[in-house]
Amino acid sequence: MPEDSMDKPNIVTCTAPVNIAVVKYWGKRDEELILPINSSLSVTLHQDQLKTTTTIATSRSFQEDRIWLNGKEEDINHPRLQSCLREIRRLARKRRNDDDPSLDSTGLSQRVHICSVNNFPTAAGLASSAAGFACLVYTLARVFGVEGELSAIARQGSGSACRSMYGGFVQWIMGEKEDGKDSLAQQVEAETHWPELRILVLVASAERKPVGSTSGMQTSVKTSSLLKHRADSVVPGRMADMIEAVQKKDFAAFAELTMKDSNQFHATCLDTYPPIFYLNRVSQQIINVVHRYNRHYGETRLAYTFDAGPNAVIFMLKQHVPEFVQVVQHFFPPETNGGQFIKGLPVNSAALSEELKQDIGLEPMPKGISYIISTKAGPGPCVVTDPTQHLLGSDGFPIG
Ligand code: DP6
């Protein structure tokens, strides 16, 4: 290697997706290792609409590990960040010792510069930590030449992040071991399995920041007997039913299980003492619209699910998207000035019948929803091969 290229950083860029749980994870049995009290299942959202991009550089000339998130330098000593860095370095060392003692060890002792951005506004309150930690772990693994099972490391960044390590339909098996080695994510079906399935994220105009999931679920584990009942007696059967519904592409069964699970999760929040409220007036109106729409058609055509915030995620089959968007625009009249109301996958225009409006029969809530992101199931993390996409320059510092 020529002298002057010795200190040139090694740079890798990857992207990772957001996921939305249809059987929710809520509650840990081990805070440090992030081990859950129940299994969960999610759909990975398409990265064309929602993704994190992370560039990592290593160089002998870097003095310390550093991280920049969405344009701002953050504290690298964050414990969950440190867990991911430590575990990847441990795996890389193990691989070198076990498999190939001749593997170059210099990279391992080098410091890293990490730079990460989202292609969606952080303020939208969409689960960015799952995509963020999945992307961090996937990119670190590439940098240090580690392959194989990585979801157990992503899990230690944020529980839900382990499910973002795969595309399509993904289960996080809770596992039984104390060391968490069997608490892993696993793909149930690939993103190509159910091409007609569409997902609309209704971004609610939130007034204030809700209680974070980490502290919310701690209080729930301590105080809610409903949560214990859910984890022990409801989720095991629901996981089996959900996997069957996904495999059979049975929309009505998938939709009903999704809505019931979201409702039970929010019921455990209300059973938490003091109670936690994630659903607001807009969320409740969305729930009512969905049930009345389904009743109008006499079949389950729509399903909602809500995480630790007021945004709704709605599942439906492709042919029902245009009319549903009209329904949303009618019952949540958007702000007229500026901005697109519907972003993401294009949606055809459609008519809205008087009968449907009357059957739903609710008072419109102006400006309740800021905008809609139209998307579908998508692939897991990817390597970006185009070097012009790197977020760190050849000096190893953020570009721009
Ligand atoms: C309601 O994964 O954000 O979105 O493990 O403490 O980082 P930590 O929590 P997090 O919790 C997600 C909770 C949820 C449900 C889900 O995604 O399964």
Side-chain angles (χ1 to χ4, degrees), residues 223-383:
T223 63
S224 170
S225 53
L226 177 60
L227 181 64
K228 189 171 162 31
H229 166 71
R230 162 180 165 75
D232 296 345
S233 310
V234 179
V235 174
R238 195 164 275 168
M239 283 293 291
D241 294 348
M242 186 61 95
I243 290 170
E244 190 184 331
V246 167
Q247 286 174 337
K248 286 186 177 159
K249 295 189 267 187
D250 178 345
F251 185 81
F254 170 82
E256 190 174 321
L257 290 164
T258 296
M259 292 188 277
K260 285 185 168 169
D261 200 73
S262 174
N263 294 342
Q264 189 174 68
F265 156 52
H266 291 280
T268 68
C269 291
L270 190 61
D271 190 48
T272 297
Y273 193 81
I276 306 167
F277 307 102
Y278 289 125
L279 304 179
N280 62 16
R281 280 172 54 246
V282 176
S283 327
Q284 282 162 14
Q285 169 110 332
I286 293 167
I287 292 173
N288 285 329
V289 166
V290 166
H291 285 292
R292 289 172 186 210
Y293 179 98
N294 287 341
R295 191 180 56 194
H296 170 86
Y297 283 107
E299 64 177 20
T300 313
R301 290 190 181 183
L302 300 173
Y304 54 78
T305 186
F306 298 83
D307 279 344
N311 292 335
V313 176
I314 313 289
F315 291 93
M316 72 206 74
L317 297 177
K318 197 179 167 191
Q319 68 262 33
H320 300 134
V321 173
E323 187 189 51
F324 179 65
V325 168
Q326 294 301 316
V327 169
V328 174
Q329 282 185 303
H330 179 82
F331 289 99
F332 303 92
E335 282 208 87
T336 42
N337 52 337
Q340 263 177 303
F341 187 59
I342 173 122
K343 303 173 200 265
L345 294 175
V347 175
N348 292 333
S349 54
L352 188 55
S353 74
E354 279 308 316
E355 291 95 305
L356 178 56
K357 265 193 251 177
Q358 269 170 23
D359 278 358
I360 293 178
L362 293 162
E363 200 52 46
M365 272 186 166
K367 296 180 229 164
I369 291 170
S370 309
Y371 57 92
I372 302 178
I373 304 170
S374 158
T375 187
K376 59 183 181 178
C382 313
V383 178

Side-chain angles (χ1 to χ4, degrees), residues 171-190:
Q171 62 171 328
W172 172 11
I173 300 168
M174 64 177 287
E176 287 169 0
K177 293 188 182 156
E178 265 182 36
D179 64 5
K181 291 264 159 60
D182 57 351
S183 187
L184 305 171
Q186 196 179 70
Q187 189 176 62
V188 171
E189 290 289 351

Side-chain angles (χ1 to χ4, degrees), residues 19 21 23-26 28 34 40 80 129 157-161 163 213-214 217 265 307-308:
N19 72 76
V23 177
K24 305 291 186 194
Y25 146 56
W26 195 252
K28 298 181 186 66
I34 310 198
S40 54
R80 290 175 171 201
S129 72
S158 180
S160 54
R163 299 185 311 238
S213 1
T214 306
M217 65 177 86
F265 156 52
D307 279 344

